[in-house]
Amino acid sequence: MKTSGNSNGNIGVTSGSPCLPDPAREALAAYHARFGVAGTSDPVTVVWASGRINLIGEHTDYNQGWVLPVAVDRVVALAGQPIHGPKTFLYSTHHNEIASFFSDPWSLTDRRPGRLRFFARYVRAVLAQLVGIPGAARTPPFRAAIAGNVPVGGGMSSSAALEVAAATFAAALGGPALEPMATAQLCQRAEQAGVGVEVGIMDQAASCLGRPGSALLLDCRSLAYEYVPVNLPGIALAAFDTGVPRTLGASGYNDRTYECGEAVAWLTDAMRADEPERTVSALRDITADDLARYGATLPRTLLRRVRHVVSENARVGEAVAALRAGDAARLGELLYASHASLRDDYEVSCPELDAAVEIASRVEGVVGARLMGAGFGGSALMLVREEAVDALRARLAWEYRAATGRSGALHICHVAGGPQTVTMPPA
Ligand code: GLA
Protein backbone atom coordinates (compact mmCIF):
# COMPACT_ATOMS: atom_id res chain seq x y z
CA MET A 1 0.00 0.00 0.00
CA LYS A 2 1.39 3.40 -0.96
CA THR A 3 0.36 6.65 0.65
CA SER A 4 0.87 10.32 0.05
CA GLY A 5 -0.18 13.44 1.92
CA ASN A 6 -0.58 17.03 0.83
CA SER A 7 2.34 19.36 0.39
CA ASN A 8 2.26 20.29 4.08
CA GLY A 9 3.78 16.93 4.72
CA ASN A 10 0.65 15.82 6.53
CA ILE A 11 1.27 12.16 6.08
CA GLY A 12 -0.88 10.24 8.49
CA VAL A 13 -0.38 6.76 7.07
CA THR A 14 2.89 5.07 6.31
CA SER A 15 3.56 2.43 3.72
CA GLY A 16 2.17 -0.93 4.73
CA SER A 17 0.18 0.57 7.59
CA PRO A 18 -3.35 -0.76 7.91
CA CYS A 19 -4.64 2.45 9.55
CA LEU A 20 -7.27 3.73 7.16
CA PRO A 21 -9.93 5.80 8.94
CA ASP A 22 -13.30 4.04 9.25
CA PRO A 23 -14.98 5.89 6.35
CA ALA A 24 -12.09 4.91 4.04
CA ARG A 25 -12.53 1.25 5.00
CA GLU A 26 -16.25 1.58 4.52
CA ALA A 27 -15.85 3.21 1.09
CA LEU A 28 -13.40 0.48 0.04
CA ALA A 29 -15.70 -2.33 1.17
CA ALA A 30 -18.69 -0.63 -0.48
CA TYR A 31 -16.73 -0.17 -3.71
CA HIS A 32 -15.94 -3.86 -3.94
CA ALA A 33 -19.46 -4.84 -2.89
CA ARG A 34 -21.26 -2.51 -5.34
CA PHE A 35 -18.95 -2.42 -8.31
CA GLY A 36 -16.73 -5.49 -8.04
CA VAL A 37 -13.51 -4.83 -9.92
CA ALA A 38 -13.13 -2.70 -13.00
CA GLY A 39 -11.32 -5.45 -14.86
CA THR A 40 -8.29 -3.22 -15.27
CA SER A 41 -4.85 -3.40 -13.75
CA ASP A 42 -5.29 0.08 -12.25
CA PRO A 43 -4.83 0.23 -8.51
CA VAL A 44 -7.81 0.93 -6.31
CA THR A 45 -7.46 4.50 -5.09
CA VAL A 46 -8.71 5.48 -1.66
CA VAL A 47 -8.74 9.14 -0.60
CA TRP A 48 -10.18 11.03 2.32
CA ALA A 49 -10.52 14.67 3.32
CA SER A 50 -11.57 16.29 6.57
CA GLY A 51 -14.53 18.32 7.68
CA ARG A 52 -13.76 21.35 9.81
CA ILE A 53 -14.50 23.08 13.05
CA ASN A 54 -14.11 26.83 12.93
CA LEU A 55 -12.71 28.02 16.25
CA ILE A 56 -13.69 31.60 15.47
CA GLY A 57 -14.08 34.04 12.56
CA GLU A 58 -17.63 33.39 11.37
CA HIS A 59 -19.09 35.08 8.29
CA THR A 60 -15.82 36.93 7.89
CA ASP A 61 -14.36 34.98 4.97
CA TYR A 62 -16.53 36.48 2.21
CA ASN A 63 -15.89 39.88 3.78
CA GLN A 64 -12.18 39.29 3.13
CA GLY A 65 -11.43 39.06 6.85
CA TRP A 66 -9.74 36.42 9.00
CA VAL A 67 -10.79 32.90 10.03
CA LEU A 68 -9.32 30.33 12.42
CA PRO A 69 -10.57 26.84 11.52
CA VAL A 70 -9.13 23.40 12.22
CA ALA A 71 -9.53 20.29 10.07
CA VAL A 72 -10.94 17.47 12.19
CA ASP A 73 -10.80 13.70 12.26
CA ARG A 74 -14.24 13.43 10.65
CA VAL A 75 -13.73 12.64 7.00
CA VAL A 76 -15.36 11.92 3.67
CA ALA A 77 -13.69 9.10 1.73
CA LEU A 78 -13.83 7.91 -1.86
CA ALA A 79 -12.60 4.53 -3.08
CA GLY A 80 -12.62 3.45 -6.70
CA GLN A 81 -10.95 2.88 -10.05
CA PRO A 82 -10.96 4.46 -13.49
CA ILE A 83 -13.12 2.75 -16.10
CA HIS A 84 -13.55 2.75 -19.87
CA GLY A 85 -16.81 4.25 -21.04
CA PRO A 86 -18.57 7.58 -21.16
CA LYS A 87 -19.93 7.79 -17.62
CA THR A 88 -18.77 8.18 -14.03
CA PHE A 89 -20.65 6.16 -11.40
CA LEU A 90 -20.84 7.02 -7.73
CA TYR A 91 -22.30 4.99 -4.91
CA SER A 92 -23.12 6.80 -1.67
CA THR A 93 -23.22 4.62 1.44
CA HIS A 94 -25.16 7.38 3.22
CA HIS A 95 -27.99 7.33 0.67
CA ASN A 96 -27.48 3.72 -0.43
CA GLU A 97 -27.83 4.95 -3.99
CA ILE A 98 -25.87 4.97 -7.24
CA ALA A 99 -25.76 8.11 -9.38
CA SER A 100 -24.10 8.54 -12.75
CA PHE A 101 -23.28 11.31 -15.18
CA PHE A 102 -21.46 11.73 -18.49
CA SER A 103 -17.79 12.57 -17.98
CA ASP A 104 -16.86 14.28 -21.22
CA PRO A 105 -15.99 17.98 -20.90
CA TRP A 106 -19.09 19.15 -22.78
CA SER A 107 -21.49 17.26 -20.54
CA LEU A 108 -19.64 18.18 -17.36
CA THR A 109 -19.70 21.87 -18.10
CA ASP A 110 -23.40 21.85 -18.95
CA ARG A 111 -24.65 23.94 -16.04
CA ARG A 112 -27.81 21.86 -15.51
CA PRO A 113 -27.07 19.12 -13.01
CA GLY A 114 -30.45 17.51 -13.80
CA ARG A 115 -31.91 15.42 -11.02
CA LEU A 116 -28.57 14.40 -9.56
CA ARG A 117 -28.43 13.86 -5.83
CA PHE A 118 -26.26 16.35 -3.97
CA PHE A 119 -23.40 13.90 -3.38
CA ALA A 120 -23.02 13.41 -7.14
CA ARG A 121 -23.64 17.07 -7.87
CA TYR A 122 -20.67 18.12 -5.74
CA VAL A 123 -18.33 15.60 -7.38
CA ARG A 124 -19.54 16.55 -10.84
CA ALA A 125 -19.06 20.25 -10.02
CA VAL A 126 -15.44 19.58 -9.04
CA LEU A 127 -14.81 17.61 -12.25
CA ALA A 128 -16.40 20.45 -14.24
CA GLN A 129 -14.00 22.94 -12.66
CA LEU A 130 -11.06 20.64 -13.42
CA VAL A 131 -11.92 20.32 -17.12
CA GLY A 132 -12.12 24.11 -17.21
CA ILE A 133 -8.38 24.44 -16.45
CA PRO A 134 -6.74 25.24 -19.79
CA GLY A 135 -4.43 22.49 -20.98
CA ALA A 136 -5.10 20.38 -17.91
CA ALA A 137 -4.81 16.61 -17.89
CA ARG A 138 -8.15 14.78 -18.25
CA THR A 139 -9.60 12.84 -15.35
CA PRO A 140 -10.82 9.51 -16.73
CA PRO A 141 -14.37 8.34 -15.99
CA PHE A 142 -14.43 6.25 -12.82
CA ARG A 143 -16.51 4.22 -10.46
CA ALA A 144 -16.23 5.07 -6.79
CA ALA A 145 -17.97 4.59 -3.48
CA ILE A 146 -18.35 7.46 -1.01
CA ALA A 147 -18.56 7.11 2.76
CA GLY A 148 -18.11 9.59 5.55
CA ASN A 149 -18.53 10.41 9.21
CA VAL A 150 -18.85 14.20 8.90
CA PRO A 151 -22.48 14.79 9.93
CA VAL A 152 -24.37 15.67 6.71
CA GLY A 153 -25.94 19.13 7.03
CA GLY A 154 -24.33 19.34 10.48
CA GLY A 155 -22.36 22.53 9.93
CA MET A 156 -19.00 20.73 9.80
CA SER A 157 -18.54 21.13 6.04
CA SER A 158 -19.32 17.66 4.79
CA SER A 159 -19.73 19.18 1.32
CA ALA A 160 -16.27 20.81 1.36
CA ALA A 161 -14.78 17.51 2.54
CA LEU A 162 -16.48 15.72 -0.36
CA GLU A 163 -15.27 18.31 -2.87
CA VAL A 164 -11.69 18.14 -1.61
CA ALA A 165 -11.82 14.33 -1.60
CA ALA A 166 -13.13 14.41 -5.20
CA ALA A 167 -10.34 16.76 -6.35
CA THR A 168 -7.76 14.57 -4.58
CA PHE A 169 -9.24 11.45 -6.18
CA ALA A 170 -9.18 13.05 -9.63
CA ALA A 171 -5.51 14.01 -9.17
CA ALA A 172 -4.66 10.43 -8.15
CA LEU A 173 -6.33 9.17 -11.35
CA GLY A 174 -4.14 11.39 -13.52
CA GLY A 175 -6.24 14.57 -13.51
CA PRO A 176 -4.76 17.97 -12.62
CA ALA A 177 -2.71 17.95 -9.40
CA LEU A 178 -2.98 21.40 -7.84
CA GLU A 179 -1.35 23.00 -4.82
CA PRO A 180 -3.52 22.87 -1.66
CA MET A 181 -4.69 26.50 -1.85
CA ALA A 182 -5.48 26.21 -5.57
CA THR A 183 -7.44 23.04 -4.79
CA ALA A 184 -9.37 24.93 -2.10
CA GLN A 185 -10.20 27.73 -4.55
CA LEU A 186 -11.30 25.26 -7.19
CA CYS A 187 -13.53 23.44 -4.69
CA GLN A 188 -14.99 26.76 -3.52
CA ARG A 189 -15.92 27.57 -7.13
CA ALA A 190 -17.40 24.08 -7.49
CA GLU A 191 -19.60 24.62 -4.43
CA GLN A 192 -20.69 28.04 -5.70
CA ALA A 193 -21.52 26.70 -9.16
CA GLY A 194 -22.90 23.37 -7.97
CA VAL A 195 -25.37 24.67 -5.41
CA GLY A 196 -25.64 28.37 -6.24
CA VAL A 197 -24.40 29.70 -2.90
CA GLU A 198 -21.69 32.36 -2.74
CA VAL A 199 -19.64 30.57 -0.08
CA GLY A 200 -16.29 31.87 1.12
CA ILE A 201 -12.99 29.98 1.09
CA MET A 202 -12.84 28.89 4.72
CA ASP A 203 -14.22 25.35 4.62
CA GLN A 204 -12.29 24.20 1.58
CA ALA A 205 -9.08 25.87 2.82
CA ALA A 206 -9.39 24.16 6.21
CA SER A 207 -9.87 20.78 4.54
CA CYS A 208 -6.96 21.25 2.11
CA LEU A 209 -4.48 22.90 4.48
CA GLY A 210 -5.32 21.36 7.85
CA ARG A 211 -2.40 20.39 10.02
CA PRO A 212 -2.60 18.03 13.01
CA GLY A 213 -2.40 19.97 16.27
CA SER A 214 -2.76 23.41 14.66
CA ALA A 215 -5.39 25.89 13.63
CA LEU A 216 -5.18 27.66 10.29
CA LEU A 217 -5.09 31.44 10.62
CA LEU A 218 -6.15 32.53 7.15
CA ASP A 219 -6.30 36.03 5.74
CA CYS A 220 -9.18 35.65 3.29
CA ARG A 221 -8.07 38.65 1.22
CA SER A 222 -4.44 37.79 0.51
CA LEU A 223 -4.91 34.06 1.21
CA ALA A 224 -1.73 34.24 3.32
CA TYR A 225 -1.90 31.80 6.22
CA GLU A 226 -0.01 30.62 9.23
CA TYR A 227 -0.46 27.80 11.69
CA VAL A 228 -1.31 28.47 15.31
CA PRO A 229 -0.69 25.52 17.64
CA VAL A 230 -3.83 24.44 19.49
CA ASN A 231 -2.21 23.84 22.81
CA LEU A 232 -5.02 23.53 25.33
CA PRO A 233 -4.15 20.58 27.55
CA GLY A 234 -7.14 18.83 29.06
CA ILE A 235 -9.65 20.64 26.83
CA ALA A 236 -11.80 18.67 24.39
CA LEU A 237 -13.15 20.06 21.16
CA ALA A 238 -16.80 19.12 20.79
CA ALA A 239 -19.38 19.77 18.10
CA PHE A 240 -23.00 19.47 19.16
CA ASP A 241 -25.18 18.71 16.15
CA THR A 242 -28.55 20.33 16.89
CA GLY A 243 -30.36 18.01 14.49
CA VAL A 244 -31.69 21.07 12.65
CA PRO A 245 -30.64 20.42 9.07
CA ARG A 246 -28.95 23.36 7.49
CA THR A 247 -28.81 23.62 3.75
CA LEU A 248 -26.88 26.68 2.73
CA GLY A 249 -29.02 27.25 -0.33
CA ALA A 250 -32.22 27.40 1.69
CA SER A 251 -30.75 29.66 4.35
CA GLY A 252 -30.24 33.40 4.48
CA TYR A 253 -26.56 32.95 3.57
CA ASN A 254 -26.83 34.67 0.22
CA ASP A 255 -28.90 37.42 1.87
CA ARG A 256 -26.04 38.09 4.28
CA THR A 257 -23.44 38.29 1.51
CA TYR A 258 -25.74 40.73 -0.30
CA GLU A 259 -26.27 42.85 2.82
CA CYS A 260 -22.54 43.08 3.37
CA GLY A 261 -22.07 44.33 -0.18
CA GLU A 262 -24.79 46.91 0.43
CA ALA A 263 -23.07 48.04 3.63
CA VAL A 264 -19.80 48.54 1.74
CA ALA A 265 -21.60 50.78 -0.76
CA TRP A 266 -23.26 52.83 2.02
CA LEU A 267 -20.01 53.27 3.93
CA THR A 268 -18.08 54.21 0.80
CA ASP A 269 -20.66 56.90 0.15
CA ALA A 270 -20.60 58.13 3.73
CA MET A 271 -16.82 58.40 3.77
CA ARG A 272 -16.41 60.10 0.42
CA ALA A 273 -16.65 63.67 1.72
CA ASP A 274 -14.31 63.22 4.70
CA GLU A 275 -11.85 60.70 3.33
CA PRO A 276 -11.82 60.90 -0.47
CA GLU A 277 -8.61 58.84 -0.68
CA ARG A 278 -10.04 55.93 1.22
CA THR A 279 -11.00 52.73 -0.63
CA VAL A 280 -13.33 50.25 0.97
CA SER A 281 -13.65 47.13 -1.10
CA ALA A 282 -14.94 44.83 1.63
CA LEU A 283 -16.07 45.03 5.27
CA ARG A 284 -12.58 43.90 6.21
CA ASP A 285 -11.51 47.50 5.56
CA ILE A 286 -13.84 48.89 8.22
CA THR A 287 -12.44 49.57 11.69
CA ALA A 288 -14.20 50.07 15.02
CA ASP A 289 -13.39 53.79 14.70
CA ASP A 290 -15.09 53.91 11.29
CA LEU A 291 -18.12 52.30 12.82
CA ALA A 292 -18.26 54.91 15.57
CA ARG A 293 -17.88 57.68 13.03
CA TYR A 294 -20.07 56.56 10.15
CA GLY A 295 -22.28 53.83 11.62
CA ALA A 296 -25.21 56.18 12.20
CA THR A 297 -25.55 56.73 8.44
CA LEU A 298 -26.36 53.06 7.88
CA PRO A 299 -29.82 51.50 8.00
CA ARG A 300 -30.22 49.64 11.35
CA THR A 301 -29.97 46.15 9.88
CA LEU A 302 -26.82 46.93 7.94
CA LEU A 303 -25.26 48.55 11.00
CA ARG A 304 -25.77 45.33 12.93
CA ARG A 305 -24.25 43.24 10.15
CA VAL A 306 -21.18 45.48 10.00
CA ARG A 307 -20.85 45.48 13.79
CA HIS A 308 -20.66 41.69 13.76
CA VAL A 309 -18.03 41.53 11.04
CA VAL A 310 -15.83 44.22 12.59
CA SER A 311 -16.04 42.75 16.09
CA GLU A 312 -15.58 39.17 14.85
CA ASN A 313 -12.42 40.08 12.94
CA ALA A 314 -11.07 41.61 16.14
CA ARG A 315 -12.01 38.46 18.08
CA VAL A 316 -9.99 36.31 15.68
CA GLY A 317 -6.88 38.31 16.59
CA GLU A 318 -7.66 38.00 20.28
CA ALA A 319 -8.32 34.27 19.97
CA VAL A 320 -4.92 33.76 18.35
CA ALA A 321 -3.31 35.59 21.28
CA ALA A 322 -5.31 33.46 23.75
CA LEU A 323 -4.27 30.25 21.98
CA ARG A 324 -0.63 31.30 21.95
CA ALA A 325 -0.85 32.04 25.68
CA GLY A 326 -2.66 28.72 26.32
CA ASP A 327 -5.46 30.77 27.89
CA ALA A 328 -8.53 28.56 27.51
CA ALA A 329 -10.69 30.79 29.71
CA ARG A 330 -10.11 33.82 27.47
CA LEU A 331 -10.73 31.78 24.35
CA GLY A 332 -13.99 30.60 25.90
CA GLU A 333 -15.12 34.18 26.57
CA LEU A 334 -14.44 35.04 22.96
CA LEU A 335 -16.56 32.09 21.83
CA TYR A 336 -19.52 33.27 23.90
CA ALA A 337 -19.08 36.82 22.57
CA SER A 338 -18.98 35.48 19.01
CA HIS A 339 -22.22 33.59 19.59
CA ALA A 340 -23.98 36.66 20.97
CA SER A 341 -22.84 38.71 17.99
CA LEU A 342 -23.97 36.06 15.48
CA ARG A 343 -27.31 35.76 17.27
CA ASP A 344 -28.10 39.44 17.86
CA ASP A 345 -26.25 41.37 15.16
CA TYR A 346 -25.82 38.92 12.32
CA GLU A 347 -29.07 37.06 13.05
CA VAL A 348 -27.94 33.64 11.85
CA SER A 349 -28.77 31.65 14.97
CA CYS A 350 -31.93 29.69 15.71
CA PRO A 351 -33.68 28.66 18.95
CA GLU A 352 -31.99 25.25 18.98
CA LEU A 353 -28.46 26.69 18.65
CA ASP A 354 -29.21 29.25 21.35
CA ALA A 355 -30.58 26.55 23.65
CA ALA A 356 -27.53 24.33 23.12
CA VAL A 357 -25.10 27.17 23.86
CA GLU A 358 -27.09 28.27 26.89
CA ILE A 359 -27.28 24.76 28.34
CA ALA A 360 -23.56 24.21 27.76
CA SER A 361 -22.72 27.51 29.44
CA ARG A 362 -24.31 26.25 32.67
CA VAL A 363 -22.29 23.01 32.78
CA GLU A 364 -19.26 23.17 35.00
CA GLY A 365 -16.14 22.53 32.97
CA VAL A 366 -17.43 24.08 29.73
CA VAL A 367 -15.15 26.99 28.91
CA GLY A 368 -16.91 28.35 25.83
CA ALA A 369 -19.52 27.63 23.16
CA ARG A 370 -20.93 29.20 20.03
CA LEU A 371 -22.72 28.40 16.83
CA MET A 372 -20.35 27.34 14.11
CA GLY A 373 -20.33 27.66 10.33
CA ALA A 374 -23.16 29.38 8.48
CA GLY A 375 -25.66 28.99 11.34
CA PHE A 376 -29.44 28.63 10.78
CA GLY A 377 -29.06 25.12 12.25
CA GLY A 378 -26.14 22.72 12.10
CA SER A 379 -23.72 22.52 15.01
CA ALA A 380 -22.45 24.45 18.00
CA LEU A 381 -18.79 24.29 18.97
CA MET A 382 -18.15 23.59 22.65
CA LEU A 383 -14.80 23.70 24.44
CA VAL A 384 -15.04 21.50 27.47
CA ARG A 385 -12.66 20.11 30.09
CA GLU A 386 -12.14 16.41 29.37
CA GLU A 387 -13.43 15.36 32.78
CA ALA A 388 -16.69 17.26 32.14
CA VAL A 389 -17.51 15.67 28.75
CA ASP A 390 -19.81 13.02 30.22
CA ALA A 391 -21.68 15.59 32.31
CA LEU A 392 -22.08 17.83 29.26
CA ARG A 393 -23.37 14.94 27.18
CA ALA A 394 -25.88 13.95 29.85
CA ARG A 395 -27.12 17.50 30.43
CA LEU A 396 -27.53 18.11 26.70
CA ALA A 397 -29.33 14.80 26.23
CA TRP A 398 -31.90 15.75 28.83
CA GLU A 399 -32.17 19.55 28.78
CA TYR A 400 -31.81 20.06 25.03
CA ARG A 401 -34.64 17.64 24.33
CA ALA A 402 -36.78 19.28 27.01
CA ALA A 403 -36.11 22.75 25.56
CA THR A 404 -36.48 21.96 21.87
CA GLY A 405 -38.19 18.58 21.48
CA ARG A 406 -35.23 17.44 19.41
CA SER A 407 -32.35 15.11 20.11
CA GLY A 408 -28.90 16.31 19.19
CA ALA A 409 -25.54 14.52 19.13
CA LEU A 410 -22.26 15.50 20.73
CA HIS A 411 -19.18 14.64 18.67
CA ILE A 412 -15.75 14.85 20.26
CA CYS A 413 -13.23 15.78 17.56
CA HIS A 414 -9.46 15.98 17.20
CA VAL A 415 -7.46 18.36 15.06
CA ALA A 416 -6.40 16.57 11.88
CA GLY A 417 -4.45 17.10 8.68
CA GLY A 418 -5.07 17.60 4.96
CA PRO A 419 -6.29 15.11 2.34
CA GLN A 420 -4.70 11.69 2.08
CA THR A 421 -4.35 9.23 -0.77
CA VAL A 422 -3.71 5.51 -0.57
CA THR A 423 -3.37 3.20 -3.54
CA MET A 424 -3.89 -0.53 -3.37
CA PRO A 425 -3.36 -3.28 -5.89
CA PRO A 426 -6.58 -4.29 -7.70
CA ALA A 427 -8.33 -7.18 -5.93
C1 GLA B 1 -20.22 28.37 5.56
C2 GLA B 1 -19.42 28.80 4.32
C3 GLA B 1 -18.10 29.45 4.74
C4 GLA B 1 -18.29 30.54 5.79
C5 GLA B 1 -19.19 30.05 6.91
C6 GLA B 1 -19.55 31.16 7.86
O1 GLA B 1 -19.58 27.34 6.24
O2 GLA B 1 -19.17 27.69 3.50
O3 GLA B 1 -17.44 29.94 3.60
O4 GLA B 1 -18.80 31.70 5.19
O5 GLA B 1 -20.40 29.48 6.44
O6 GLA B 1 -18.40 31.60 8.53
Side-chain angles (χ1 to χ4, degrees), residues 9-26:
N10 291 333
I11 299 178
V13 183
T14 50
S15 184
S17 156
C19 70
L20 298 182
D22 288 347
R25 285 177 196 286
E26 200 190 332

Side-chain angles (χ1 to χ4, degrees), residues 182-231:
T183 304
Q185 289 175 290
L186 180 128
C187 292
Q188 177 194 16
R189 290 197 298 276
E191 173 119 12
Q192 291 173 340
V195 290
V197 183
E198 290 302 306
V199 293
I201 187 79
M202 172 172 71
D203 304 347
Q204 292 79 8
S207 186
C208 287
L209 288 151
R211 175 182 279 185
S214 290
L216 178 76
L217 172 61
L218 175 65
D219 177 335
C220 299
R221 171 169 283 168
S222 66
L223 298 186
Y225 58 88
E226 63 181 289
Y227 291 101
V228 181
V230 179
N231 186 17

Side-chain angles (χ1 to χ4, degrees), residues 60 267 283-291 304-316 341:
T60 47
L267 286 162
L283 289 184
R284 131 81 169 263
D285 299 315
I286 302 300
T287 64
D289 285 350
D290 294 330
L291 206 52
R304 291 207 303 271
R305 305 298 186 249
V306 179
R307 205 158 54 197
H308 166 71
V309 175
V310 171
S311 63
E312 186 76 352
N313 274 327
R315 281 187 289 272
V316 174
S341 177

Side-chain angles (χ1 to χ4, degrees), residues 30-345:
Y31 174 67
H32 287 304
R34 289 286 146 174
F35 295 119
V37 286
T40 71
S41 56
D42 291 295
V44 178
T45 296
V46 184
V47 303
W48 60 95
S50 287
R52 63 99 187 92
I53 278 181
N54 186 20
L55 295 181
I56 202 156
E58 220 63 270
H59 289 278
T60 47
D61 58 356
Y62 54 83
N63 289 301
Q64 301 187 10
W66 292 265
V67 292
L68 191 64
V70 295
V72 292
D73 56 348
R74 295 275 167 157
V75 303
V76 173
L78 256 79
Q81 285 173 294
I83 50 169
H84 298 294
K87 285 184 124 185
T88 284
F89 294 84
L90 296 167
Y91 168 68
S92 157
T93 57
H94 182 78
H95 297 93
N96 189 21
E97 250 179 55
I98 293 180
S100 66
F101 49 81
F102 286 98
S103 301
D104 59 280
W106 300 273
S107 305
L108 283 175
T109 47
D110 181 341
R111 297 298 292 260
R112 294 158 301 175
R115 296 162 70 87
L116 275 186
R117 283 280 219 167
F118 271 100
F119 68 87
R121 221 187 256 204
Y122 286 121
V123 175
R124 180 180 180 274
V126 168
L127 297 172
Q129 291 295 325
L130 288 170
V131 298
I133 300 173
R138 280 282 307 279
T139 308
F142 56 85
R143 290 195 299 211
I146 303 169
N149 59 4
V150 188
V152 174
M156 290 173 68
S157 301
S158 56
S159 58
L162 174 55
E163 290 148 13
V164 173
T168 307
F169 190 81
L173 262 50
L178 307 175
E179 287 299 305
M181 187 57 86
T183 304
Q185 289 175 290
L186 180 128
C187 292
Q188 177 194 16
R189 290 197 298 276
E191 173 119 12
Q192 291 173 340
V195 290
V197 183
E198 290 302 306
V199 293
I201 187 79
M202 172 172 71
D203 304 347
Q204 292 79 8
S207 186
C208 287
L209 288 151
R211 175 182 279 185
S214 290
L216 178 76
L217 172 61
L218 175 65
D219 177 335
C220 299
R221 171 169 283 168
S222 66
L223 298 186
Y225 58 88
E226 63 181 289
Y227 291 101
V228 181
V230 179
N231 186 17
L232 299 169
I235 303 278
L237 203 59
F240 179 72
D241 185 351
T242 58
V244 180
R246 176 200 55 76
T247 49
L248 281 177
S251 75
Y253 189 93
N254 279 347
D255 294 345
R256 293 297 176 278
T257 62
Y258 176 79
E259 287 166 345
C260 290
E262 283 281 283
V264 167
W266 274 84
L267 286 162
T268 306
D269 253 18
M271 288 173 171
R272 190 164 293 133
D274 290 2
E275 301 180 77
E277 302 302 309
R278 188 90 186 267
T279 48
V280 175
S281 51
L283 289 184
R284 131 81 169 263
D285 299 315
I286 302 300
T287 64
D289 285 350
D290 294 330
L291 206 52
R293 193 159 163 197
Y294 302 107
T297 63
L298 290 170
R300 287 292 308 162
T301 302
L302 295 191
L303 172 61
R304 291 207 303 271
R305 305 298 186 249
V306 179
R307 205 158 54 197
H308 166 71
V309 175
V310 171
S311 63
E312 186 76 352
N313 274 327
R315 281 187 289 272
V316 174
E318 291 182 63
V320 169
L323 269 183
R324 291 208 161 112
D327 189 344
R330 178 67 191 134
L331 185 61
E333 285 167 11
L334 292 163
L335 261 53
Y336 287 130
S338 172
H339 184 77
S341 177
L342 288 159
R343 180 190 62 209
D344 302 336
D345 278 345

